[in-house]
Amino acid sequence: MKKTSFQLNKKLDKEIILDFLSAEEGGVDFGAGIISVHPQLKKVKELSFKKRKEVVSKYVDTFYTKHNKELRKTLSIFKKEWSVTENIYFTTVEKMFGKKPTPRKGYRAFLSIIDCNPRFLETKSFQIFWKHQDGVRFVTAHEILHFFFFDYVKKYFPKLYKSPFLWDVSEIFNSVILSTQPFSSIHGVKKMIFYPHHRPMLKQALTTWKEKSDVGTYIPWLFEYVKSTQ
């Protein structure tokens, strides 16, 4: 049984465009990223919210209609590419975190026409840019690893789950883990992917993971390390 599904979700794209037009995090300007892919939306931020919503909705509807065949073809390709590595991926993750039940609706990946790729912890779902440069295997591996990480911290380190450094730690953790074997073979990306603001911390974070190689001791250390760099 497949644990991960891939779907189109035009409504979600409209919502995320409106939410991310003014968003910046970790040294990344998501609004600028949206405009670079869809320059027709460049002046949308100057409009009232009501008008902005109307313009974005109409634009997304038109884009989906125009590129319908391409979107559905990409969806099919993503499904096939991930299916090749899904079993080994979950086996590898569960060796690290322990086995856990698959969400009732499974892990859901929503194809997106924007390159923001947000995740939704409560529903175990995420968006994936339909032309993502790192490919479906990397993005899917990245996002699902986040779900395991957040659930683990919430269960075993509830105080750390409320830490102001939770997001930074989660991203650094993913950058480190996905750069090591066997994960790099699973997703096929040979470089370390990270937010610019996290670059100075990655070398030590990777060195310490190689020393500990156990999430139960590594995660608390990583919180302390990130805190010490602030």
Side-chain angles (χ1 to χ4, degrees):
M1 180 180 176
K2 298 297 181 184
K3 295 185 178 183
T4 314
S5 64
F6 294 84
Q7 307 167 31
L8 294 178
N9 193 328
K10 183 170 63 174
K11 180 175 179 290
L12 182 59
D13 255 340
K14 295 177 181 180
E15 295 173 357
I16 297 303
I17 288 174
L18 291 170
D19 288 344
F20 278 70
L21 273 172
S22 300
E24 293 185 38
E25 191 69 65
V28 175
D29 186 336
F30 289 101
I34 293 173
I35 301 304
S36 69
V37 177
H38 302 283
Q40 299 91 331
L41 298 176
K42 186 175 182 179
K43 296 184 177 181
V44 167
K45 288 196 290 184
E46 301 172 8
L47 304 175
S48 65
F49 179 76
K50 181 179 179 181
K51 185 63 177 177
R52 187 187 312 170
K53 190 174 181 180
E54 292 174 359
V55 171
V56 168
S57 180
K58 183 178 180 179
Y59 176 81
V60 173
D61 285 340
T62 300
F63 190 95
Y64 267 73
T65 298
K66 182 178 180 180
H67 299 279
N68 182 265
K69 288 185 179 180
E70 295 173 80
L71 287 164
R72 293 192 176 281
K73 181 179 179 181
T74 301
L75 193 66
S76 178
I77 291 172
F78 278 9
K79 289 178 181 179
K80 291 178 181 178
E81 288 190 5
W82 178 249
S83 67
V84 174
T85 55
E86 182 176 74
N87 289 339
I88 184 62
Y89 173 78
F90 279 104
T91 297
T92 303
V93 172
E94 288 176 348
K95 283 182 180 179
M96 182 178 296
F97 287 100
K99 287 194 174 184
K100 58 178 294 186
T102 303
R104 185 172 61 85
K105 294 185 178 181
Y107 298 96
R108 291 177 293 162
F110 298 117
L111 209 66
S112 176
I113 65 173
I114 57 172
D115 194 8
C116 293
N117 310 288
R119 73 193 66 92
F120 311 98
L121 297 180
E122 294 304 317
T123 59
K124 299 297 186 289
S125 60
F126 58 95
Q127 281 194 317
I128 173 172
F129 182 43
W130 73 308
K131 294 183 180 293
H132 203 290
Q133 63 176 358
D134 297 314
V136 63
R137 286 187 294 158
F138 179 83
V139 178
T140 305
H142 177 95
E143 300 304 341
I144 294 178
L145 184 60
H146 270 311
F147 298 140
F148 275 82
F149 170 87
F150 281 108
D151 284 351
Y152 186 88
V153 174
K154 189 174 185 178
K155 180 177 181 179
Y156 295 103
F157 304 104
K159 291 184 178 179
L160 295 179
Y161 193 77
K162 299 177 182 179
S163 167
F165 306 111
L166 178 64
W167 179 80
D168 294 286
V169 170
S170 74
E171 292 296 345
I172 295 169
F173 177 85
N174 265 29
S175 295
V176 167
I177 299 304
L178 292 178
S179 71
T180 62
Q181 288 289 358
F183 285 99
S184 59
S185 292
I186 292 172
H187 59 68
V189 177
K190 302 304 180 183
K191 61 183 177 179
M192 184 178 281
I193 311 295
F194 53 84
Y195 281 86
H197 285 182
H198 297 149
R199 180 191 292 272
M201 294 175 269
L202 291 175
K203 183 177 180 180
Q204 184 59 56
L206 180 58
T207 297
T208 303
W209 170 253
K210 290 178 178 179
E211 294 172 353
K212 296 181 180 297
S213 297
D214 172 72
V215 293
T217 55
Y218 181 72
I219 289 176
W221 172 85
L222 189 55
F223 271 93
E224 287 300 316
Y225 175 61
V226 172
K227 181 180 179 180
S228 73
T229 64
Q230 305 304 304

